[in-house]
Amino acid sequence: MAEHPHAALVRKGYEAFQRGDMDTLRGLMTGDATHHVPGSHPLSGDFKGVDSIFDGYYGRLFSETGGSFRVELLNVFVDGRGHAVSVHRFTADRGDKHIDESGGIVFRIVGDKITDLDECVEDIEKGNAFWS
């Protein structure tokens, strides 16, 4: 049985992110996509538009961690109505801090493009401490 197109889209996005292939990843999103990041730290908030997502958030994930940020996709669930939910594990080092956490993203997909990403984390306070 073939994988649902929304699950395949999310999987392709994770693969591109992990490779650092931002051109491919950018092509999977609408120009006005929004990535919502939980917490109360310098990287949390709403990043609206692909330039804001890539420069304001993804670029900072890599720069703040000296390129050590890694994410492993564990599973993708779909509802067949434009939503997909990923479950992943992420690790990073920042100065003398290390994080190893589970999280996920709720994706809104219209047509074949991602329009909205709502990130969820296992422990918000742990994330706040790591990124602050």
Side-chain angles (χ1 to χ4, degrees), residues 25-91:
L25 189 56
R26 184 181 292 265
L28 303 178
M29 297 180 189
T30 60
D32 63 348
T34 302
H35 192 132
H36 308 276
V37 181
S40 58
H41 55 78
L43 274 69
S44 64
D46 296 331
F47 297 88
K48 181 148 181 72
V50 290
D51 291 337
S52 178
I53 292 170
F54 283 81
D55 299 335
Y57 184 49
Y58 298 166
R60 288 193 62 199
L61 286 176
F62 289 106
S63 67
E64 294 281 333
T65 64
S68 70
F69 188 89
R70 296 285 180 264
V71 63
E72 176 189 7
L73 179 63
L74 302 174
N75 215 333
V76 181
F77 305 98
V78 298
D79 70 356
R81 297 178 294 114
H83 300 96
V85 178
S86 67
V87 178
H88 60 246
R89 189 105 189 136
F90 64 96
T91 60

